[in-house]
Amino acid sequence: MRFASVASALASIGTLVAAASTQGLYDLVERRLPQRSLNFAFELIETLHVNASKPQNDHYTISTASNGSIAISGTSVSALATGLRRYFVDVAHVDLYWFIGSRLDQIPPTLPRPNHTITGASVVPWRYFFNTVTFSYTTPFWSWSDWELELDWLALHGVNLPLAWVGFEKILLDAFQEVNLTTSQILPFFSGPAFQAWNRFGNTQGSWGGELPLQWIHQQFELQQKILSRMLDLGMTPILPAFTGFVPTALVDVYPNATVVNGSQWEDFPREFTNTTFLEPSDPLFSKLQNIVMTKQLDYYGNITQFYTLDQYNENDPYSGDLDYLRNMTRGTWQSLKAANPGAVWVMQGWLFTSNSDFWTDERIEAYLSGVEVNTDMLVLDLFSESQPQWQRTDSYYGKPWIWNQLHDYGGNQGLYGQIDNVTINPIAALANSSSLVGFGITPEGQEGNEIMYALLLDQAWSPTPIDTATYFASWVRTRYTGVNNSVTPQLYTAWELLRTSAYNNTNLTSNAVSKAIFELAPNITRLTNRTGHHPTTINYEPAVVVHAWKEMYAAASTEPNLWANDAYKHDFVDITRQVYSNAFASSYAACIAAWNTTNGTAEFDAHAATLLLLLRTLDPLLSSLPQFNLAPWLASARALAPSNTTNSTIPDFYEYTARNQITRWGPDGEINDYASKSWGGLVGDYYLPRWLTFLDYLRSVGPDGYEDGEVRARIEGVEVGFQVPGSGLGVRESTGDVRTVVETAVVPALRKMGIL
Ligand SMILES: *[C@@H]1O[C@H](CO)[C@@H](O)[C@H](O)[C@H]1NC(C)=O
Ligand SMILES: *[C@@H]1O[C@H](CO)[C@@H](O)[C@H](O)[C@H]1NC(C)=O
Ligand SMILES: *[C@@H]1O[C@H](CO)[C@@H](O)[C@H](O)[C@H]1NC(C)=O
Ligand SMILES: *[C@@H]1O[C@H](CO)[C@@H](O)[C@H](O)[C@H]1NC(C)=O
Ligand SMILES: *[C@@H]1O[C@H](CO)[C@@H](O)[C@H](O)[C@H]1NC(C)=O
Ligand SMILES: *[C@@H]1O[C@H](CO)[C@@H](O)[C@H](O)[C@H]1NC(C)=O
Ligand SMILES: *[C@@H]1O[C@H](CO)[C@@H](O)[C@H](O)[C@H]1NC(C)=O
Ligand SMILES: *[C@@H]1O[C@H](CO)[C@@H](O)[C@H](O)[C@H]1NC(C)=O
Ligand SMILES: *[C@@H]1O[C@H](CO)[C@@H](O)[C@H](O)[C@H]1NC(C)=O
Ligand SMILES: *[C@@H]1O[C@H](CO)[C@@H](O)[C@H](O)[C@H]1NC(C)=O
Ligand SMILES: *[C@@H]1O[C@H](CO)[C@@H](O)[C@H](O)[C@H]1NC(C)=O
Ligand SMILES: *[C@@H]1O[C@H](CO)[C@@H](O)[C@H](O)[C@H]1NC(C)=O
């Protein structure tokens, strides 16, 4: 009944289709605004056939129905969801966020009405989200409610093509069992809970610190069923995994004649954990396994997608560079996909062409891509388009449809960072210059902060001209801090404008991703500051500008003390303080080393060393105060996924170990030490601080002539190894939520002492 008036209003626009499929949106509104879904009316118009080979742009219209409800019509559920957020943000000034959750409940009791009809249209059919490794850096221990927030966020931001990797090991387990491998031959192949992404890529095999239990596999599979069902309800087409060719070494025991080669060694991992066995697509067993993997998913989930993610050579060079060989690899793989599901489209991350560009010459890329003989049977993710786009050099992937993606973040690093120009101007320019560009997307290794940069690109997918970032940031501020008086303290606008034109406007291509705090790195007398590349430690702006932004933020809370009770404000204030600390640490560190190098043991060295320690000691309680900046919830969420009905701590300890190991030593022996480091409470106080204490004590005891690198390394490693032990309680702090007290009693005095305030 509630659709009637809208239906007549829309009659002239297009054909109405069954309202039932909009149920997911009413459910979303009920989840976030209980009992308010009756105030909304969603209508689908013009059913667009979601056909992978001919995708079309979406559009929506927002108006007020005659009964006063908010009427949103659009070409797909995703278009409606995008329109819904547009209403929330532009008319009601509320939104839903990472970390702090939904602030939609701040909406006025009487819904504000749009005073004119608002329309929107996408400039690309596909809005993509996730990197294969986000499933290990960010989501490995997520509960269903974490996923619910994420999926609501994705829907409201117009995402209609997300990756869906959770629980894939269940499918592989089934498939390998069906070809007669035993469970005990299969389980040793899998990597631990925090490392599954690299096993799925064939970079790693096996698990250090324990074996992946069946319990994990079954529980993740159950989670995947919920995720997929919700994705469908919210109008998204999930991209499911497929069989890549990476197999347990034991496969060769069962099939001695199988055509296998060794994958390459990844990141100096020992042989037992890398050089993964790769079954070549030319072997009939490959097609058989592909068929089982795809059929199992069709059986479990239904024929819900045409899209399959499949990466064989991610940071892992092919066995041969012969062009015929490369073409055969893709042709065989493609045919196996089509045999199992005739509508299949192969989605591939294009990262290999960036990371292993020595191997991937233009002619090899062309040969490899040409094995997929129908262009629309493939979809390439240009992975790091804001900085190292590959689509120009590959002539738009030789005609394959592709997506422009912002990568932005490596390893879940946390610096304030963005490229407001490249993320708004470049995708629009690409659209004009490449006829096979079909989407914009987001491919962060870790979803760890700088949320505005992600929202910006997804909103750019609905704007034919580059978004004006000054207006965009101001609107972000207006909406983000709503709930205090319904008007926003002016200093907050100033703070974000300062950030927009500094940290968020990097144009220096030598360091083009989120920067890392050097205190997260193993202490050293050299090579910590000014690192460039994908884990830069450069500060590409005047640090004083961020201090200025901090002062404005702080002043805002003097003007409006209620801000201390505002979750968005608390989050952002902690985040900006973290950056001020990170920058201050870098300059004090440089001064400390210089003092040591000239005359160790002097008062000057001691003063700088004391500053470094003061920074870490006062940052730790600040970060701990909020759960999203605290280590404990990460560890607890890992343990929470272990079976609850046992007193045996082996499994929870193993899950916790993988959680600790990933963000610190990352590998059994520190293979990619500190890659996924975090400025988290507990980690700063019980890991980084002891490392720096050890280091500074050593420097105090020895001058440059007596310095022994091996000795320093050994001492620091002692701290690192000790921290891996699960159940030790090391780094576990409670979150009080009381940011204000820590700021007033610890942060402000520290910054004063350093002359920053
Ligand atoms: C229309 O709405 C906008 C914002 O939604 C508001 O700024 C403006 O004052 C409104 N105009 C009228 C005439 O109500
Ligand atoms: C697995 O073993 C069963 C029983 O020995 C046999 O019938 C079947 O053919 C085998 N499957 C494969 C793929 O070899
Ligand atoms: C492997 O190949 C050899 C030589 O082609 C053949 O004699 C043998 O029967 C095969 N073994 C199996 C298990 O298929
Ligand atoms: C592992 O792969 C690397 C790179 O291809 C190679 O150099 C190394 O010899 C391999 N190791 C073994 C034991 O196969
Ligand atoms: C590629 O596949 C064709 C057809 O199966 C085969 O004749 C050829 O030897 C293969 N080339 C290489 C280098 O593997
Ligand atoms: C799944 O649906 C697609 C159309 O979306 C169709 O092309 C394909 O044949 C179907 N696959 C199966 C296995 O039914
Ligand atoms: C911005 O994009 C251009 C064009 O792709 C590229 O050359 C430049 O390096 C990018 N800037 C940064 C900071 O990555
Ligand atoms: C970003 O910085 C560059 C270089 O300083 C400048 O040309 C550009 O106008 C800035 N962009 C914005 C949106 O402020
Ligand atoms: C870019 O960054 C590098 C490394 O920090 C620095 O050497 C260079 O001067 C910077 N370029 C500009 C134009 O600021
Ligand atoms: C110490 O000073 C010497 C001489 O100026 C210089 O070569 C060296 O790089 C400095 N070492 C460090 C760790 O800064
Ligand atoms: C390197 O970093 C230090 C500390 O942040 C800074 O003082 C120095 O100016 C930087 N050097 C260059 C060449 O950018
Ligand atoms: C410091 O860095 C250098 C250069 O990367 C490295 O050779 C050395 O082993 C490091 N020292 C420590 C103690 O980590």
Side-chain angles (χ1 to χ4, degrees):
M1 227 24 229
R2 69 179 182 232
F3 305 116
S5 56
V6 190
S8 53
L10 294 176
S12 58
I13 304 175
T15 320
L16 284 171
V17 294
S21 55
T22 59
Q23 188 57 45
L25 293 170
Y26 291 106
D27 293 345
L28 184 160
V29 175
E30 278 298 310
R31 258 194 304 286
R32 305 301 168 189
L33 295 173
Q35 268 130 60
R36 305 303 289 274
S37 68
L38 284 167
N39 301 130
F40 290 87
F42 299 107
E43 288 294 341
L44 283 170
I45 49 166
E46 286 181 37
T47 32
L48 298 176
H49 292 285
V50 184
N51 180 341
S53 62
K54 231 176 174 287
Q56 296 178 48
N57 284 326
D58 278 313
H59 55 88
Y60 61 78
T61 299
I62 308 163
S63 57
T64 308
S66 52
N67 68 355
S69 63
I70 306 304
I72 304 177
S73 65
T75 47
S76 67
V77 173
S78 176
L80 296 175
T82 312
L84 178 60
R85 175 162 174 271
R86 180 87 185 274
Y87 164 77
F88 281 143
V89 171
D90 286 0
V91 182
H93 305 295
V94 290
D95 202 355
L96 174 148
Y97 301 96
W98 299 343
F99 308 112
I100 59 179
S102 173
R103 292 180 58 74
L104 299 177
D105 58 355
Q106 304 289 320
I107 204 164
T110 304
L111 294 192
R113 298 178 182 183
N115 51 20
H116 63 279
T117 299
I118 299 171
T119 61
S122 75
V123 297
V124 281
W126 295 119
R127 283 84 59 186
Y128 170 84
F129 203 91
F130 287 124
N131 184 312
T132 289
V133 305
T134 329
F135 289 83
S136 288
Y137 281 134
T138 299
T139 75
F141 308 120
W142 274 11
S143 65
W144 172 234
S145 82
D146 295 324
W147 273 105
E148 287 196 288
L149 177 66
E150 178 83 356
L151 295 174
D152 285 351
W153 190 98
L154 295 183
L156 290 169
H157 287 77
V159 171
N160 59 0
L161 194 62
L163 264 187
W165 266 113
V166 174
F168 182 53
E169 286 59 34
K170 160 71 174 157
I171 309 295
L172 281 183
L173 177 68
D174 283 359
F176 290 134
Q177 280 173 338
E178 202 161 314
V179 299
N180 291 340
L181 271 68
T182 63
T183 306
S184 58
Q185 287 174 315
I186 302 165
L187 290 181
F189 170 63
F190 295 132
S191 298
F195 302 105
Q196 295 192 297
W198 299 277
N199 184 228
R200 292 163 179 171
F201 273 149
N203 298 138
T204 62
Q205 62 177 345
S207 175
W208 46 99
E211 185 173 279
L212 191 71
L214 282 171
Q215 179 264 348
W216 173 272
I217 294 175
H218 291 303
Q219 161 226 84
Q220 291 293 300
F221 173 64
E222 282 171 26
L223 182 58
Q224 170 79 335
Q225 289 171 311
K226 288 187 187 169
I227 292 169
L228 292 176
S229 158
R230 182 61 59 78
M231 283 178 173
L232 296 172
D233 287 348
L234 292 173
M236 300 180 225
T237 303
I239 304 177
L240 290 175
F243 176 63
T244 52
F246 295 108
V247 295
T249 49
L251 184 106
V252 188
D253 301 336
V254 183
Y255 300 93
N257 287 1
T259 314
V260 296
V261 296
N262 251 346
S264 40
Q265 182 172 15
W266 188 68
E267 300 282 1
D268 293 331
F269 271 71
R271 167 87 182 89
E272 64 170 316
F273 296 123
T274 182
N275 286 67
T276 313
T277 309
F278 180 69
L279 175 67
E280 298 225 320
S282 58
D283 193 305
L285 186 57
F286 182 101
S287 317
K288 188 180 180 72
L289 280 163
Q290 187 70 278
N291 193 277
I292 300 171
V293 164
M294 306 222 355
T295 307
K296 288 277 171 203
Q297 294 185 99
L298 284 162
D299 289 350
Y300 287 132
Y301 314 136
N303 189 7
I304 57 171
T305 185
Q306 294 175 258
F307 293 92
Y308 293 91
T309 179
L310 200 167
D311 293 285
Q312 294 165 318
Y313 299 124
N314 179 76
E315 298 182 5
N316 178 15
D317 284 342
Y319 178 71
S320 159
D322 179 89
L323 301 184
D324 227 24
Y325 175 86
L326 293 172
R327 199 174 293 114
N328 280 359
M329 291 300 111
T330 20
R331 189 187 290 115
T333 305
W334 166 62
Q335 286 170 344
S336 75
L337 287 170
K338 298 305 269 190
N341 189 348
V345 174
W346 175 355
V347 181
M348 188 179 91
Q349 291 198 174
W351 176 247
L352 69 174
F353 306 136
T354 312
S355 66
N356 297 34
S357 55
D358 288 348
F359 177 89
W360 289 104
T361 58
D362 292 355
E363 61 174 0
R364 282 179 178 163
I365 298 176
E366 181 161 21
Y368 186 66
L369 296 180
S370 72
V372 176
E373 290 163 6
V374 177
N375 278 345
T376 51
D377 281 349
M378 191 171 230
L379 177 59
V380 182
L381 303 173
D382 192 81
L383 218 69
F384 190 20
S385 311
E386 78 272 32
S387 286
Q388 293 172 15
Q390 304 294 309
W391 62 273
Q392 291 108 326
R393 84 146 160 137
T394 57
D395 206 0
S396 290
Y397 297 99
Y398 306 102
K400 299 279 185 292
W402 66 280
I403 293 182
W404 195 104
N405 290 293
Q406 173 181 214
L407 200 156
H408 180 268
D409 183 273
Y410 288 86
N413 292 170
Q414 288 165 290
L416 297 178
Y417 179 79
Q419 291 191 38
I420 47 172
D421 279 345
N422 271 14
V423 162
T424 51
I425 297 167
N426 295 12
I428 295 302
L431 206 49
N433 289 300
S434 174
S435 58
S436 61
L437 172 53
V438 296
F440 294 170
I442 302 284
T443 51
E445 286 198 341
Q447 182 184 306
E448 208 49 64
N450 299 297
E451 181 176 348
I452 192 168
M453 291 306 302
Y454 298 78
L456 177 63
L457 178 63
L458 291 171
D459 284 335
Q460 187 61 65
W462 299 78
S463 168
T465 53
I467 288 173
D468 177 303
T469 55
T471 312
Y472 191 89
F473 272 58
S475 156
W476 175 269
V477 171
R478 164 80 169 88
T479 298
R480 190 162 170 88
Y481 304 112
T482 192
V484 194
N485 286 346
N486 206 23
S487 79
V488 173
T489 327
Q491 292 99 325
L492 295 172
Y493 289 104
T494 312
W496 278 87
E497 180 59 10
L498 288 163
L499 297 178
R500 182 183 74 87
T501 50
S502 56
Y504 288 115
N505 184 23
N506 177 45
T507 55
N508 187 331
L509 54 91
T510 61
S511 52
N512 44 27
V514 166
S515 68
K516 237 175 150 80
I518 66 161
F519 58 72
E520 295 172 6
L521 298 171
N524 201 325
I525 52 167
T526 182
R527 300 277 290 278
L528 297 188
T529 58
N530 304 318
R531 280 192 190 175
T532 56
H534 298 156
H535 287 267
T537 59
T538 51
I539 302 165
N540 296 314
Y541 50 84
E542 190 46 62
V545 180
V546 171
V547 172
H548 185 183
W550 184 94
K551 288 178 178 166
E552 295 288 340
M553 288 290 284
Y554 193 47
S558 307
T559 312
E560 180 50 88
N562 285 338
L563 281 170
W564 291 115
N566 180 315
D567 289 337
Y569 175 82
K570 289 201 285 185
H571 177 94
D572 295 342
F573 191 69
V574 169
D575 201 25
I576 296 170
T577 308
R578 179 199 53 65
Q579 192 63 53
V580 168
Y581 267 64
S582 168
N583 297 350
F585 193 94
S587 57
S588 290
Y589 160 83
C592 184
I593 296 298
W596 170 76
N597 201 20
T598 346
T599 41
N600 72 298
T602 63
E604 195 191 345
F605 167 83
D606 281 343
H608 291 301
T611 302
L612 296 179
L613 299 176
L614 174 69
L615 283 169
L616 296 178
R617 286 187 174 123
T618 52
L619 180 59
D620 190 65
L622 178 75
L623 295 170
S624 308
S625 68
L626 294 180
Q628 62 268 39
F629 290 104
N630 194 2
L631 171 69
W634 167 255
L635 301 179
S637 63
R639 293 189 80 90
L641 292 178
S644 50
N645 56 354
T646 168
T647 49
N648 183 337
S649 67
T650 312
I651 293 181
D653 281 352
F654 170 53
Y655 292 178
E656 182 185 331
Y657 164 76
T658 71
R660 285 179 180 268
N661 182 251
Q662 186 208 72
I663 56 174
T664 56
R665 287 176 56 82
W666 209 135
D669 239 344
E671 278 74 5
I672 48 174
N673 211 17
D674 299 320
Y675 183 98
S677 63
K678 301 282 179 289
S679 289
W680 281 350
L683 201 55
V684 170
D686 286 359
Y687 189 66
Y688 303 138
L689 176 63
R691 286 205 307 199
W692 284 94
L693 267 171
T694 303
F695 173 72
L696 294 169
D697 280 350
Y698 179 78
L699 290 192
R700 194 171 289 114
S701 73
V702 58
D705 295 339
Y707 182 86
E708 283 180 55
D709 189 69
E711 176 60 22
V712 178
R713 188 68 226 135
R715 291 187 189 188
I716 289 172
E717 230 171 87
V719 175
E720 294 176 352
V721 170
F723 192 80
Q724 309 299 305
V725 182
S728 65
L730 268 183
V732 176
R733 311 264 193 278
E734 238 181 279
S735 296
T736 60
D738 188 358
V739 172
R740 181 180 192 167
T741 299
V742 186
V743 167
E744 289 172 352
T745 61
V747 171
V748 168
L751 294 179
R752 286 228 169 89
K753 187 154 190 207
M754 290 184 61
I756 291 176
L757 291 186

